[in-house]
Amino acid sequence: WRPDDEDERPRRGMVGPVRVRVPAKVNLHLGVGPLRPDGYHELNTVYQAISIHDELTARRGDTLTLTMEGEGAGELALDETNLVIKAARALAAHAGVPAHARLHLRKQIPLAGGLAGGSADAAATLVACDALWGTDLSRDDLAGIAAGLGSDVPFLVYGGTALGTGHGETISPILARPVTWHWVVAIADGGLSTPAAYRELDRLRAEYAAPPPLRNADALLAALRGRDAARLGRALGNDLQAAALSLRPALAETLKAGEAAGALAGIVSGSGPTCVFLASDAGHAERVAAELTASGLCRTVRTAYGPVPGARVG
Ligand code: C5P
C-alpha cells in the first residue's frame, strides 16, 4: 500500500488509497455432482489462479461508492446488486464498522467469462476494505465471509492452486513444489450465465437413466505432482464443458483451433465461454496465442501463467 501522505497513518486502518490486485481463476478439474436441495451442485474441483488481474482501489469516503473502468464498463450495474458493494457491506457488518469507502475497479477479467471475474472483485474488496478499515481479519475469516458471497470467492482470497469442495467454497490449498504452468486464454464475444450452464447440464443429464457419479480429482492432482505438462493436459477435465458447448456450439471450433495451433490440451474454463489451452512453456504459449488470434474465432487471446497469489495489497 502507498498512503497519500507518508506521515498520516491513522491509529486504525489506512488513510488510503489501498490498492489490491486479484487474479482470474481456471478450473483444471471440475467434477459436478447432483443438484442439492439448496440449489447448488456438489463440486469436486481444482482451482488455479492465473496472471490476468483486476485491480481494486479503496479510498476513505463518507458513503459507499463504486466506479469502474476497463472490461465491462458501462455494462455492469454499480449499485447494491454489484458483488463488490455486497462484499464491502458483508465485511462491515461482520466487523461492526460503517461501510464507508470510495471503491474503484480496473477490470481486465471479462464479465461472465468463466474466469470468476465478479468473484475476484468481491475477494479484492474484502482484502482492500479490511486494510482500509483496519479490521485486520485473517485470510480464513475473510474466506468465511467470502463463502456467503459466491462459490468462487473464497478461492480468490487465497489464490495459488487449491481443491474446492462443497459447492466450491470449501478450500484446501494444494502444497506442491513450485512449478509454473503456461496458459493461452481465448476470450469469446459475450458471456455465458453460470446458472444457465448448470441448468443445461441438468437437462443434458436428465436424458440419461442414472446421474453420473461425482468425479474426483485424483488423476489431475497426480499430474500436478508429476510436473509434466503433457500429462497435466491429458488430466484436464470439466463436466460443465458439455453444457457450455450445447449453449454455445461455436466453442467447439475454438477448442479445435487451439489444438490445431499446437496446444497440449484445451478446455472450457468453468461455465465458459472462455477456453483455456495448456502450453509447454512461455514461448509455446506465445506461438499458440498468435495462431489462435489469426484464426479470428476469439474476441481476445492472451497468455497467462499460474499459479499466482490471490487478492493482495500492493
Ligand atoms: O455461488 P455463485 O453465486 O457463483 O453461483 C451462481 C449460481 O450457479 C448458483 O445460484 C447456482 O445456480 C449455480 N451453481 C451451482 N452449483 C455450484 C455453484 C454454482 O448450481 N456448485
Side-chain angles (χ1 to χ4, degrees), residues 30 32 34-36 38-43 83 119 147 149-153 166-169 193-196 198-199 202 240:
L30 181 50
V32 181
L35 179 62
R36 311 189 315 195
D38 66 0
Y40 285 104
H41 294 75
E42 195 67 21
L43 297 190
L83 210 49
S119 302
L149 295 166
S151 309
D152 295 334
V153 186
H167 59 87
E169 87 291 5
S193 140
T194 300
Y198 278 103
R199 273 197 305 274
D202 290 337
L240 274 181

Side-chain angles (χ1 to χ4, degrees), residues 16-35:
V18 178
R19 211 164 280 122
V20 169
R21 255 159 65 88
V22 66
K25 64 84 189 160
V26 295
N27 301 84
L28 309 184
H29 169 91
L30 181 50
V32 181
L35 179 62

